[in-house]
Amino acid sequence: MTSKPTDTTKAGLAPIGSLWIDGPLSWLEIASVRSFVELGHDYVLYSYGSVPNLPQGAQLRDAREVWANDDIITHAKAGSPAIHADVFRAIMVRDTGRVWVDTDIIALKPFPADLQWFIGHERDDKLLLGNAVMGAPRGSETIRLLADFLTTPNAIPPWLPQGQRKRMQATLDAGQTLNLGDLPWGATGPIALTHFASQTGDLAHAQPTHVFFPISFQDRKLLTENASLDRATQLIGQDDVLCVHLYSRWMRKYTKGMRGGVPARRSWIGAWLDQRQQVDYDALEQKTQVKAAQQERSKDKLDRIDPVAFLTDLEERKAHIPGGANSSPYGHVMLTTMAKDEGPYILEWVAYHHLLGFTDILVLTNDCTDGTDEMLDALAALGLVSRLDNGPWRDKPPQSRGIARVGGHPLFTRADWHMLIDLDEFLQIKTGDGSVNALIDQIVAKKATAMPVAWRFFGSGGNRLYRDEPVVSRFTAAATDQFVKGHGVKTIYRPEPFMKLAIHRPHLKPKFLKTDEKQLRWVNGSGQILDGRKVAWKYKQGQAGYDLAQVNHYGVKSGEEYLMRRLRGDVLNNHSKYDAEYFRTFDRNDITDTGAADLADKVAKFCTRLLRDKGVKQAQALIRERYAAKLARLRASDGYDDQLAELGFAGPDAGE
């Protein structure tokens, strides 16, 4: 079918099409797409999957509209899907009338529709048409022959050397098949196009080299070398040059080790990106300076905490806990978490889990600016928690360096039982008196040493706006047991010297993985026996149990809180995770679950006692002030209503 131009397309411009198999675009593809969109082209990017960061103004279409082949053809040696793209582009040009461009083509001037022939010489030293740009009048014999050949099973390319063709024919005669992916690199691309254009006489319509390929592959470094800026500008600046090819396979390797993974600012392509503000080079340079300073400050070894001094201080602090410190027949039952600007939720989370009976709570914080550190320090003064800065170390992300710090902490080295969860997760216990001791009773009764507790995702409950009220009572709508994507686990377990700490469940140390020396008898959340060696980070359908315990995962909360979280990111520095698709996937409101909410009154009363402390009260006031200011900026920002609408909140909720 022929795609119709969009309303924003300038009259007289050729419609453009390209292919991206699946996943997010890099700076290179984004630059290519934007270059055409900003010139006014009707641009369609076809894909067999999702493209979460397609530039505004481009259209995303299902690639199956053009070629319904989910079996992506890759080159046998290079592993590249370029072969699939070669077939796709021929079919697309033949059937849609769009002009194909590779996603590493930068448009410099509009492609006029009346040019008609969008094929061009790729080199001056030999006959070779490039197929990075490819278009022809509808009904072109060249394009028809090319598409027919590439979709014909077991076809032998007549443009290959005679010896190769004979070997291929022998393969067919022996009853075997020929696959496009087994052909020599490039055999289905420019060489094939050149062959058929020569055969039909359409070679006469090919544009001169500089129109589409002013910088040849042989001279590609002119695009990236600072010293070559003037020469590249001269070649690319010729009057009838329409675009430039960035040679993505090479470009990715060349820029992989460069600052930010992008070309140097003073190279031709760097200057082009900088001029259009497609790369924030100022931020990259500042980040590099900050990183260098952090590396200078950071040490190869983590700072050692004196266990005697720490534990002595801890016992003194615990004397101030309202109602007294927790104790357990199982010894030291430790809970660990990591925090990045979690201010509004700290007090409730700590109070809730203290009331479950955990004897020690350790919180690692990552550059918090919203009052999180102040609140934790105030609670630490009361003995409820211990806080540890999780600063830079060996260029590791916050979560990885946090794991390393926990492993050497005095609380962990003395712990008899341990659990690591996030601050948007609340452990809900459904057995005995609802305490962590009652849960360990069930594990020990099975002669087990761990329980991977399954998530249950809780949705927004239709709440559009943030309200300064407890999480467990605001959100009681949740996913069913059958929500497979919600079957991630967090594990309560007995630490052993042969285990190593991890986020979802502990692992055997490498030297024990290939032997049967250490067995792991674990149970799921219903007490069913598991082989801990086979437990992944999430359960498969039917493996999770919810009878004894679950981890309430408040991963989305209200619409506004989700937008705030998206701005903040997480301890993995994974800001792109929190998009509208993630919200729609995990905004589960299928059943009502009030298990944690039933503790809300006890938690509220305990929080009231804590707020009598001057330090806690001041920290809570600071958190509210800073969160209110950030929330006000969010509400006043451009696109605020559009972002909420994208999440599914078209109007006010019941709380407004």
Side-chain angles (χ1 to χ4, degrees):
M1 80 183 187
T2 303
S3 300
K4 296 180 179 180
T6 62
D7 293 338
T8 59
T9 302
K10 295 177 182 178
L13 299 187
I16 304 296
S18 195
L19 174 69
W20 188 251
I21 301 298
D22 188 19
L25 306 175
S26 73
W27 68 267
L28 197 155
E29 295 82 38
I30 290 173
S32 174
V33 175
R34 285 183 59 179
S35 71
F36 284 95
V37 170
E38 290 172 359
L39 289 172
H41 280 280
D42 168 18
Y43 187 106
V44 168
L45 184 67
Y46 293 98
S47 177
Y48 289 95
S50 62
V51 183
N53 59 341
L54 183 68
Q56 187 175 3
Q59 306 169 58
L60 184 65
R61 299 274 289 272
D62 190 339
R64 298 165 188 84
E65 295 177 13
V66 174
W67 189 29
N69 185 0
D70 290 86
D71 185 13
I72 306 301
I73 305 172
T74 58
H75 191 266
K77 292 184 178 179
S80 168
I83 311 299
H84 196 94
D86 285 339
V87 183
F88 186 94
R89 83 187 70 201
I91 298 174
M92 187 204 78
V93 173
R94 181 192 67 189
D95 295 350
T96 71
R98 290 185 176 274
V99 174
W100 167 276
V101 296
D102 281 3
T103 52
D104 58 357
I105 289 289
I106 299 293
L108 304 172
K109 297 172 186 173
F111 282 30
D114 59 9
L115 184 63
Q116 293 192 321
W117 289 96
F118 294 87
I119 56 175
H121 292 277
E122 190 174 54
R123 298 176 63 162
D124 290 326
D125 60 341
K126 62 184 294 187
L127 176 59
L128 187 70
L129 300 181
N131 71 341
V133 177
M134 193 172 85
R138 296 297 292 268
S140 161
E141 183 70 1
T142 295
I143 301 301
R144 184 190 68 79
L145 289 172
L146 177 62
D148 288 351
F149 180 86
L150 293 175
T151 54
T152 298
N154 297 316
I156 298 177
W159 50 87
L160 291 180
Q162 183 178 12
Q164 284 184 304
R165 285 185 278 124
K166 286 184 176 180
R167 288 193 292 273
M168 290 179 180
Q169 186 60 55
T171 298
L172 293 179
D173 293 342
Q176 300 179 38
T177 59
L178 293 177
N179 298 311
L180 289 178
D182 294 326
L183 295 178
W185 178 258
T188 58
I191 298 174
L193 175 62
T194 305
H195 171 83
F196 288 114
S198 299
Q199 181 176 312
T200 61
D202 287 339
L203 189 63
H205 300 297
Q207 306 298 329
T209 305
H210 66 273
V211 173
F212 298 131
F213 306 101
I215 303 292
S216 68
F217 179 77
Q218 289 70 29
D219 293 331
R220 61 195 180 280
K221 288 189 177 180
L222 294 178
L223 295 167
T224 55
E225 294 175 338
N226 294 353
S228 301
L229 174 60
D230 291 342
R231 177 58 177 158
T233 301
Q234 179 184 16
L235 292 172
I236 295 170
Q238 300 174 72
D239 289 341
D240 47 352
V241 170
L242 294 181
C243 63
V244 62
H245 192 192
L246 299 188
Y247 308 104
S248 62
R249 291 185 78 239
W250 168 80
M251 182 70 74
R252 292 182 207 285
K253 293 179 180 178
Y254 185 86
T255 59
K256 184 177 180 180
M258 302 181 76
R259 179 187 299 161
V262 295
R265 189 175 197 168
R266 286 178 289 278
S267 65
W268 183 89
I269 184 59
W272 190 90
L273 293 166
D274 190 24
Q275 182 181 2
R276 288 156 183 78
Q277 297 182 332
Q278 292 193 27
V279 173
D280 190 345
Y281 280 99
D282 288 338
L284 281 178
E285 291 173 1
Q286 183 178 12
K287 184 176 180 180
T288 300
Q289 293 169 0
V290 170
K291 184 176 180 180
Q294 289 175 341
Q295 289 175 336
E296 184 68 24
R297 291 193 301 268
S298 64
K299 300 177 181 179
D300 284 340
K301 293 184 178 180
L302 293 170
D303 292 335
R304 181 179 179 274
I305 299 173
D306 182 345
V308 175
F310 174 84
L311 295 173
T312 299
D313 174 69
L314 177 62
E315 291 309 309
E316 293 175 356
R317 290 189 284 119
K318 283 190 174 185
H320 301 289
I321 295 178
N326 289 333
S327 61
S328 169
Y330 295 104
H332 299 288
V333 183
M334 178 187 177
L335 183 66
T336 300
T337 192
M338 300 183 198
K340 169 67 176 176
D341 287 345
E342 296 277 5
Y345 315 110
I346 292 291
L347 188 61
E348 177 192 6
W349 188 92
V350 170
Y352 177 96
H353 289 96
H354 173 76
L355 292 176
L356 288 189
F358 285 96
T359 63
D360 298 296
I361 298 177
L362 175 65
V363 184
L364 285 78
T365 57
N366 303 287
D367 301 322
C368 297
T369 60
D370 70 338
T372 291
D373 288 353
E374 288 81 356
M375 174 58 80
L376 288 169
D377 287 343
L379 295 174
L382 295 179
L384 278 168
V385 303
S386 295
R387 184 178 78 84
L388 182 64
D389 281 319
N390 190 27
W393 181 61
R394 292 183 179 177
D395 294 331
K396 293 183 179 293
Q399 192 177 85
S400 297
R401 62 184 187 247
I403 288 291
R405 285 190 166 101
V406 173
H409 197 279
L411 283 178
F412 183 76
T413 55
R414 79 164 188 178
D416 299 291
W417 288 82
H418 178 252
M419 189 173 196
L420 192 159
I421 63 177
D422 293 334
L423 270 152
D424 61 358
E425 298 170 345
F426 286 67
L427 176 61
Q428 183 186 147
I429 299 171
K430 310 177 186 181
T431 183
D433 61 0
S435 69
V436 68
N437 293 328
L439 186 59
I440 297 175
D441 285 341
Q442 294 291 336
I443 300 172
V444 172
K446 297 284 187 175
K447 297 181 180 180
T449 58
M451 175 187 286
V453 185
W455 280 334
R456 187 184 298 281
F457 269 88
F458 280 67
S460 67
N463 288 287
R464 181 174 185 264
L465 304 182
Y466 166 74
R467 293 198 298 277
D468 188 7
E469 299 171 7
V471 169
V472 296
S473 54
R474 275 195 297 145
F475 305 106
T476 56
T480 66
D481 294 2
Q482 288 71 43
F483 180 52
V484 178
K485 287 191 175 182
H487 286 170
V489 303
K490 291 299 176 74
T491 305
I492 182 167
Y493 66 101
R494 189 172 67 205
E496 300 284 0
F498 52 83
M499 304 295 292
K500 64 176 183 176
L501 177 64
I503 292 298
H504 292 276
R505 73 279 185 243
H507 298 272
L508 280 171
K509 290 183 177 178
K511 67 179 180 179
F512 298 111
L513 287 174
K514 296 182 179 180
T515 71
D516 294 328
E517 182 179 348
K518 303 296 182 182
Q519 298 301 310
L520 302 179
R521 182 180 172 90
W522 293 2
V523 292
N524 71 2
S526 291
Q528 297 167 333
I529 301 298
L530 302 172
D531 179 356
R533 285 173 167 265
K534 298 181 180 179
V535 175
W537 76 270
K538 66 184 297 186
Y539 285 124
K540 297 179 181 178
Q541 180 70 42
Q543 289 183 329
Y546 294 90
D547 296 338
L548 302 176
Q550 66 186 43
V551 172
N552 290 12
H553 196 337
Y554 302 94
V556 297
K557 299 188 178 75
S558 68
E560 281 190 330
E561 286 165 280
Y562 187 77
L563 296 183
M564 294 285 276
R565 181 171 189 173
R566 186 158 66 182
L567 292 173
R568 173 179 60 84
D570 63 11
V571 295
L572 283 172
N573 290 341
N574 190 9
H575 295 253
S576 62
K577 168 182 174 181
Y578 299 108
D579 57 14
E581 182 179 354
Y582 181 94
F583 185 91
R584 288 190 291 268
T585 299
F586 295 104
D587 182 22
R588 310 304 300 184
N589 303 282
D590 308 315
I591 62 171
T592 298
D593 186 330
T594 61
D598 291 343
L599 293 177
D601 288 343
K602 289 183 178 180
V603 172
K605 289 178 182 178
F606 189 58
C607 288
T608 299
R609 295 184 68 181
L610 295 175
L611 285 166
R612 293 172 187 160
D613 177 81
K614 182 179 178 180
V616 174
K617 184 177 180 179
Q618 290 177 339
Q620 188 75 338
L622 176 65
I623 287 169
R624 285 172 171 162
E625 177 186 345
R626 291 183 177 177
Y627 196 81
K630 289 177 68 176
L631 196 56
R633 290 196 296 272
L634 174 69
R635 290 171 175 172
S637 64
D638 292 338
Y640 164 76
D641 289 325
D642 291 339
Q643 290 183 70
L644 284 176
E646 188 181 13
L647 300 183
F649 298 100
D653 64 19
E656 294 184 58

